[in-house]
Amino acid sequence: MTIPLDAAYADQLDAADDLAGLRQAFVNDEPDLIYLDGNSLGRLPRATADLAADLVRRQWGTRLIRGWNEGWFELPERIGAKIARLIGAEPDEVIVADSTSVNLFKLVIAALRARPGRERIISDDLNFPSDLYILQGVADLLGGRHEIAMAYSSDGIHGPVETILGLLDHNTALLTLSHVAFKSGFLYDMPALTAAAHAVGALVLWDVSHSVGAVPINLSESGADLAIGCCYKYLNGGPGAPAFLYIRRDLQAQLVNPIAGWMGQRNLFNFDLDYEPAPGLRRFLTGTPPVVSLALIEPGVDLLLAAGIDRLRAKSLAQTEYLIELWQQRLAPLGYTLNSPRDPARRGSHISLGHPEGLGIDLALINELGVLPDFRAPDNIRLGVAPIYTSFRDIYTAVERMAQAVTEQRYLKYRDHRPAVT
C-alpha cells in the first residue's frame, strides 16, 4: 500500500491508538528527542523513580535490615511470577537472579549434565555474541567434550531454520537460540523448533531478551525447557537490571545449579557446611540479590501487564509496518536497505535499516538531529519500537531526519568517529 508521507497522517494514527495514554507513565525530560532505542534500554517509568526514592530513603534508610522480612527476601519470586504472565509460564517457573549471561551459564551447564553422553550444542550466527561466548566457555570448562555446531544465516537477516533442523540428531544435548535476533529482529517459530529438538531427545534453551514485553511468548504451550531474558529492554527495568530464568516445572528437581550459593540452600539460616538445594526454582539462586535494582524492575512489568501483551503486539506490528512503508517510499531511494524480515509474523519489534554510511548517520542523528537509535556493525541502524511509549509521530519524524542526514551529508564529519558504546 501507499501511505501519506505527512505528519498529519501520523497524528491520525496516534489519535486512534488506545495505548497512547501510557506514554505519560514514563519520564520524558527531552520532549523533542525521538527515542528509538527501547530495544536496548527502555525508558524510566515514573513509578520507578518514586520507588527508588522509597527504597533508598525509607526501606534502606529507616527499616534497615528489617527490610528482608518486609518483602525483600521474596522479590526474586514475586517479580518472577509477574514476568511469567508475559511469557506464558506458571508463576513458580520464573525467578529473577543475576545477569542474563550468568543465568545462561547456569542453565547451559545444568542442561548438559542432564544429557550425559550427548556432545552437540547447536546455535546460530544470529545469536547474541555473549551467548556464544558463554557456550564456548562452558565447552572449555567441561574439558572440550562438547561440539558447538553453528548454523549460518544465508543473508544475515533470516534464521537458518533448515540448517538447524539438519544439525539436530541423537547426539544433540542442547539447542539454544535467541527468540528474536538482536541485529535483524528475525523471530523464530518457538513451538516448531522446540518440537524438532525434543524429537531427538535434546533440551531447548531460549534467550527471550529481545522479545519479552513486545512479542507474545508462550513457553508452556511451546513445550520449552529453559529460557533466560534481560529486564532492561522492553521491560524497562533500568540499566544493568537483574535478569530472569525459566525452568519448566517438571525439570526443576532434575537440574543442578552449577553455582551453588547460600540463597539456593534449603535452610540458608541454619548455616550448614554442606549444600542441600532448596526445593523448586529457588535452588537456582546463588548469592544475595541486589535488592534496589531488583525491586526497580517491578513498575515496568506492571505497566506491560496493564497494557496487555496482545495489544502491545498489535500496536508494534502496526508501527513496524508503518516504518517499513516509510522506508520504502522515503529512505530506499537514498540508499537505505531493509535489514529486517518483511514478513511481520517473522519479525520482532525493532527494524534494522542498513546504509554504507550507517555509523556516521547514527551519530549525526544522535548528536545533531534529535533521534536516538543505535548502531550494530557492519551497517545496521536499529530502530527500536517500544509500543508502550513510542508514537507514530516519533516514527514519522525519525524517518524524515534520517533522510535529512543523507541529503545534507551530515554523516561526513563522523567518518573517523567510533564511540565506545554504539
Side-chain angles (χ1 to χ4, degrees), residues 14-33:
D14 283 327
D17 174 20
D18 63 352
L19 294 177
L22 288 171
R23 185 178 171 95
Q24 304 309 312
F26 294 85
V27 172
N28 186 4
D29 289 339
E30 295 180 80
D32 295 329
L33 175 70

Side-chain angles (χ1 to χ4, degrees), residues 240-306:
F244 62 89
L245 61 84
Y246 158 89
I247 303 177
R248 201 176 64 234
R249 185 184 290 157
D250 62 293
L251 288 175
Q252 292 175 15
Q254 302 175 34
L255 301 183
V256 178
N257 182 357
I259 314 178
W262 83 307
M263 278 288 160
Q265 166 75 322
R266 177 179 289 272
N267 297 303
L268 66 164
F269 282 100
N270 284 357
F271 298 107
D272 296 326
L273 298 185
D274 294 319
Y275 179 77
E276 183 181 358
L281 205 52
R282 199 166 181 94
R283 67 180 55 201
F284 271 81
L285 295 181
T286 301
T288 303
V291 168
V292 175
S293 55
L294 171 55
L296 296 183
I297 295 167
E298 195 163 18
V301 173
D302 286 341
L303 284 169
L304 293 168
L305 290 171

Side-chain angles (χ1 to χ4, degrees), residues 321-386:
E321 283 293 289
Y322 176 61
L323 175 51
I324 289 174
E325 290 296 330
L326 291 176
W327 157 76
Q328 192 164 339
Q329 293 187 58
R330 191 78 173 91
L331 298 180
L334 298 174
Y336 287 92
T337 57
L338 179 63
N339 289 358
S340 291
R342 188 65 184 84
D343 178 4
R346 296 272 65 86
R347 192 173 68 230
S349 199
H350 70 268
I351 297 295
S352 286
L353 298 180
H355 195 281
E357 301 287 350
L359 179 56
I361 292 169
D362 178 70
L363 294 174
L365 290 169
I366 294 169
N367 295 324
E368 301 178 26
L369 296 171
V371 179
L372 193 50
D374 68 15
F375 177 80
R376 294 293 179 262
D379 66 343
N380 290 285
I381 302 168
R382 294 195 314 173
L383 305 171
V385 174

Side-chain angles (χ1 to χ4, degrees), residues 127 135 148 196:
N127 206 348
L135 296 180
I148 301 172

